[in-house]
């Protein structure tokens, strides 16, 4: 878990950092919609290359981003095994009594690419957008929902705070784990029951610490007279410029056009 970078903002001056948060949110939404409505290989590969290009332009260390991919690889391997066991189709080869079909391989591969795109796009978004800008972008995009009585400001603040504390919770979980190991906690015991009970020694302090941190944050916000209403005095207002229009147009074209020429198999 300590290698997952989801939620960690990396300050920078790259082109991606300078884009309006609404551009990045809408672009990420376009990518997610494209891969969910279409499972053809050209669409998935094109969106994967698009996300890698965004990470490169953001000048983010690719190694730090890909450290969490191995967990996706393990999950995709398990999914591929289940797809090969339970998906019927054209047989490709046999592994004893198990018949591996082309359709099973196809579904397992597309599942991995979808998870990879979701992970990379969310990582690129949170690494290049500060929590306050994220909240401002969400608040601006959801502004029309105010007329329906939806508490847009509270929702945006809640989401930004959640993203902000993801890396903090991961770091705290690692600290508690090391402390328990130094006290002789049997995390590597061959017995699953023992390992499960040992995990509770990390989970319970983590939950208690999270609740205490939430209480302290609420007290701090109340002491600063935060009421949850619309904020009309932002230090930096959002600006949707030509760079944002061009970037959003490129992303939409890359995500939408392949859907026409490469129909999915869903």
């Amino acid at each position: 878990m300590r290698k997952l970078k989801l939620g960690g903002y990396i300050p920078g001056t790259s082109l991606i950092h300078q884009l309006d948060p609404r551009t990045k949110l809408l672009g990420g939404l376009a990518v997610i919609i494209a891969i969910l409505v279409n499972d053809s290989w050209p669409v998935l590969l094109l969106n994967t290359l698009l996300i890698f290009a965004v990470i490169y332009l953001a000048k983010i260390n690719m190694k730090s981003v890909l450290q969490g991919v191995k967990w996706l690889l393990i999950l995709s391997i398990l999914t591929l095994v289940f797809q090969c066991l339970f998906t019927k189709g054209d047989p490709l080869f046999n592994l004893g009594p198990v018949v591996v079909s082309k359709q099973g391989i196809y579904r397992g591969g597309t599942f991995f690419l979808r998870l990879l795109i979701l992970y990379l796009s969310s990582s690129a978004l949170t690494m290049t957008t500060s929590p306050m800008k994220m909240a401002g972008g969400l608040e601006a995009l959801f502004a029309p929902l105010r007329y329906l009585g939806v508490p847009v400001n509270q929702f945006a603040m809640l989401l930004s705070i959640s993203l902000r504390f993801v890396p903090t919770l991961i770091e705290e979980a690692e600290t508690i784990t090391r402390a328990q190991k130094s006290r002789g906690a049997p995390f590597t015991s061959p017995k699953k029951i023992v390992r499960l009970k040992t995990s509770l020694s990390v989970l319970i302090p983590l939950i208690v610490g999270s609740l205490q941190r939430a209480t302290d944050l609420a007290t701090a916000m109340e002491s600063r007279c935060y009421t949850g209403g619309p904020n009309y005095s932002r230090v930096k207002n959002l600006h949707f410029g030509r760079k944002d229009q061009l970037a959003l147009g490129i992303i939409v074209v890359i995500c939408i056009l392949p859907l026409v020429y490469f129909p999915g198999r869903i």
Side-chain angles (χ1 to χ4, degrees):
M1 291 181 63
R2 71 179 189 277
K3 295 182 179 180
L4 293 177
K5 298 296 181 180
L6 181 63
Y9 171 63
I10 300 178
T13 58
S14 67
L15 176 62
I16 306 300
H17 283 82
Q18 297 175 5
L19 291 177
D20 190 272
R22 292 169 290 183
T23 303
K24 290 179 275 190
L25 287 169
L26 291 175
L29 180 62
V31 171
I32 293 174
I33 292 176
I35 64 174
L36 290 181
V37 302
N38 193 299
D39 67 341
S40 61
W41 281 97
V43 173
L44 295 178
L45 292 176
L46 187 60
N47 282 277
T48 303
L49 293 176
L50 173 62
I51 296 301
F52 276 111
V54 170
I55 294 175
Y56 175 78
L57 292 176
K59 299 179 180 179
I60 298 175
N61 186 4
M62 190 68 68
K63 183 178 179 181
S64 64
V65 178
L66 295 178
Q67 282 177 338
V69 175
K70 69 176 184 178
W71 303 106
L72 299 181
L73 184 61
I74 295 174
L75 181 59
S76 65
I77 291 176
L78 294 176
T79 304
L80 180 61
V81 171
F82 282 105
Q83 293 290 352
C84 293
L85 291 176
F86 300 107
T87 301
K88 297 181 180 180
D90 302 328
L92 190 62
F93 57 88
N94 298 333
L95 293 176
V98 179
V99 179
V100 179
S101 63
K102 295 180 181 179
Q103 287 76 7
I105 298 293
Y106 179 85
R107 290 188 177 182
T110 55
F111 179 80
F112 170 71
L113 280 180
R114 281 174 168 173
L115 281 182
L116 179 64
I117 293 172
L118 290 174
Y119 170 75
L120 293 179
S121 59
S122 59
S123 297
L125 175 63
T126 54
M127 285 181 172
T128 59
T129 311
S130 65
M132 293 305 300
K133 288 185 177 180
M134 184 82 71
L138 290 172
E139 184 178 337
L141 290 176
F142 295 152
L145 297 178
R146 295 174 183 169
Y147 300 102
L148 300 178
V150 178
V152 175
N153 306 95
Q154 291 89 333
F155 173 75
M157 180 59 67
L158 176 64
L159 185 58
S160 63
I161 291 175
S162 301
L163 293 174
R164 169 63 182 84
F165 280 105
V166 167
T168 303
L169 292 178
I170 293 176
E171 183 179 356
E172 185 174 353
E174 181 183 358
T175 302
I176 296 174
T177 301
R178 289 180 177 177
Q180 296 295 345
K181 285 183 177 180
S182 65
R183 292 174 173 85
F187 284 97
T188 59
S189 175
K191 298 181 179 180
K192 295 182 180 180
I193 301 297
V194 175
R195 293 203 304 268
L196 181 60
K197 292 181 179 180
T198 307
S199 300
L200 295 178
S201 63
V202 177
L203 183 60
I204 293 177
L206 184 62
I207 294 176
V208 173
S210 301
L211 295 176
Q212 183 61 45
R213 184 177 289 106
T215 302
D216 296 340
L217 179 61
T219 303
M221 294 174 71
E222 289 179 357
S223 65
R224 289 167 175 79
C225 301
Y226 177 77
T227 59
N231 185 1
Y232 296 106
S233 59
R234 292 188 177 275
V235 177
K236 293 184 180 180
N237 294 324
L238 301 179
H239 177 67
F240 194 86
R242 292 184 177 180
K243 293 187 297 184
D244 301 285
Q245 297 175 4
L246 180 61
L248 188 58
I250 293 175
I251 294 175
V252 170
V253 169
I254 293 177
C255 294
I256 299 301
L257 285 184
L259 301 180
V260 179
Y261 294 100
F262 303 101
R265 302 182 184 181
I266 297 179

